[in-house]
Amino acid sequence: MPSDYARILKAVIHEIIETEKLMDRQHIIRPLCFFILAGFAVILSVLSAATGSDHQQLSQAESGRDLYEKACAACHGSDGAGASPSRVGFDTPLPDFTDCRFAPREADTDWIAVTEKGGPARAFERMMPAFGAALTIEQSQKILDHIRTFCPDKTWPRGELNLPTPLFTTKAYPEDEAVLYAFADTEGRDRIAWELVYEKRLGARNQLEFILPFGWSEQRMSRDGDTGWTSGLGDIGIGFKRVMFHSLESGSIVSLGGEVFFPTGDKDKDFGNDTTVVEPYLAYGQILPKDFFLHTQAGFAYPFDRDKLNEEVFLKVAVGRTFLTGRFGRSWSPMIEVLSSKELTSGSEINWDLAPQLQVTLSRRQHVRLNLGFRVPMNNTDVRKVQFGAYLLWDWFDGGFFEGW
């Protein structure tokens, strides 16, 4: 708009000069020209200030609510539920910020990435524009803090507490995920074990999971020592987890959980224990300074038939740090797990393992992740060998597996 006023001013100046050329009494016209030009300059400065007042208000607004109303409410609604398609002019569904199943689980980093870079930053629709040139990070955070008020139910753990998943340690955060694990022995008899875990969140604090193990192993096929590959089903399990405590201020989350494995596998093929096993546990997650994080899981395994399997206690600790490619890009999370277990029998010793690994996000939406690592025994290496481990994780709540790339 100020450029329009400049064109008007230029036209007026031209007309005055042309008029001056036609008149002989220049000593009267010239002062009049300057008077008129000065008056136009004052008027144009007032108009320019008036048209720029909205931008000035946006840049100086102090509350997140005011910023949200000016920058976001036209599409997302003053109540956060999203405006109607007839109002916004497109049919793409808008997110409902009042939906507690959705809003709390998304970490601030993801919200701000979409605010700053627009929808394509996380492979969402281009209808969501980029506000990076109009809003500072501080203003975006104020808006986000206001958006957080649309879900008043504080029993939902925040997404910042959803720390990267280790290979062996169960995390405390409840999730909607499908994870395909693979483990392969690197020495001795060949064996590849797979495990498909389906996790379903129930409300704010609970999670139900189903565990389907299967695999292939090398078995002796004849008395002559000939071997061959055979497939088998492992011990199917179900699990439940409940968050007992969570706090974004302290960066902590604590859960109680348990898993029950049924004797559906074939023990002779190394795919089962031939007895029902119950494994209760306590899981703890902690956000640490400088993007470090900590997982801890402690529990025990109780077999129904102790003639077939011994009772066991275990402790697992995972420490890692997350790095980003660029400001909002791919995340890399190197981790190392310290794993210990001990059978509750006389004379048994504690088994110690280290598991270095690396998790990386594959999709732009960061809902598909890959983890690669090894489990290296620190003692009793004559009977326990190095094992390769990997998983492919899909957070299905954030979209289909082939979406968001």
Side-chain angles (χ1 to χ4, degrees), residues 68-69 72-85 87-88 90 92-100 102-103 111 146-147 149-151:
Y68 176 86
E69 287 294 331
C72 311
C75 288
H76 293 288
S78 295
D79 61 355
S84 64
R87 179 177 176 181
V88 298
F90 53 82
T92 302
L94 290 162
D96 184 355
F97 298 151
T98 67
D99 185 356
C100 292
F102 149 69
W111 287 86
H146 176 64
I147 290 175
T149 65
F150 291 133
C151 169

Side-chain angles (χ1 to χ4, degrees), residues 192-222:
I192 301 175
W194 297 82
E195 188 174 274
L196 179 61
V197 180
Y198 175 81
E199 300 168 346
K200 169 63 178 175
R201 191 167 181 173
L202 303 175
R205 295 174 177 260
N206 303 318
Q207 176 192 295
L208 185 65
E209 66 179 16
F210 300 93
I211 306 162
L212 178 65
F214 58 96
W216 292 264
S217 65
E218 187 181 21
Q219 301 290 328
R220 179 178 295 180
M221 307 301 290
S222 68

Side-chain angles (χ1 to χ4, degrees), residues 168 170 195 209 211 235 237-241 256-262 273 275-283 297-304 309-314 316 341:
F168 301 98
T170 297
E195 188 174 274
E209 66 179 16
I211 306 162
D235 290 345
I238 58 173
F240 181 80
K241 176 168 60 183
L256 280 175
E259 297 170 335
V260 180
F261 295 91
F262 302 98
N273 291 312
T275 180
T276 300
V277 180
V278 179
E279 293 187 3
Y281 63 83
L282 175 70
Q297 181 192 9
F300 66 92
Y302 178 81
F304 279 18
L309 189 69
N310 294 321
E311 295 175 326
E312 182 181 85
V313 294
F314 59 85
K316 305 174 183 179
S341 63

Side-chain angles (χ1 to χ4, degrees), residues 180-314:
L180 180 62
Y181 291 89
F183 303 99
D185 296 335
T186 60
E187 301 178 64
R189 187 170 58 181
D190 292 331
R191 179 176 178 271
I192 301 175
W194 297 82
E195 188 174 274
L196 179 61
V197 180
Y198 175 81
E199 300 168 346
K200 169 63 178 175
R201 191 167 181 173
L202 303 175
R205 295 174 177 260
N206 303 318
Q207 176 192 295
L208 185 65
E209 66 179 16
F210 300 93
I211 306 162
L212 178 65
F214 58 96
W216 292 264
S217 65
E218 187 181 21
Q219 301 290 328
R220 179 178 295 180
M221 307 301 290
S222 68
R223 294 181 180 180
D224 297 332
D226 295 332
T227 60
W229 285 88
T230 182
S231 61
L233 180 68
D235 290 345
I236 295 175
I238 58 173
F240 181 80
K241 176 168 60 183
R242 177 172 175 80
V243 177
M244 307 304 296
F245 170 82
H246 65 90
S247 169
L248 184 62
E249 289 73 22
S250 65
S252 307
I253 182 169
V254 179
S255 295
L256 280 175
E259 297 170 335
V260 180
F261 295 91
F262 302 98
T264 55
D266 189 338
K267 187 174 183 179
D268 294 334
K269 297 179 180 178
D270 297 330
F271 291 120
N273 291 312
D274 203 25
T275 180
T276 300
V277 180
V278 179
E279 293 187 3
Y281 63 83
L282 175 70
Y284 166 69
Q286 180 65 52
I287 300 173
L288 300 174
K290 298 186 181 298
D291 298 321
F292 281 90
F293 56 87
L294 169 73
H295 292 281
T296 303
Q297 181 192 9
F300 66 92
Y302 178 81
F304 279 18
D305 189 341
R306 284 177 283 179
D307 291 331
K308 296 181 177 179
L309 189 69
N310 294 321
E311 295 175 326
E312 182 181 85
V313 294
F314 59 85

Side-chain angles (χ1 to χ4, degrees), residues 317-354:
V317 178
V319 179
R321 185 183 183 188
T322 297
F323 300 86
L324 295 179
T325 302
R327 192 172 173 185
F328 301 116
R330 192 184 308 276
S331 69
W332 304 79
S333 299
M335 293 176 265
I336 187 165
E337 291 182 82
V338 180
L339 311 172
S340 62
S341 63
K342 184 181 186 304
E343 292 185 351
L344 298 182
T345 58
S346 177
S348 66
E349 57 180 309
I350 301 175
N351 290 322
W352 293 95
D353 302 282
L354 291 179

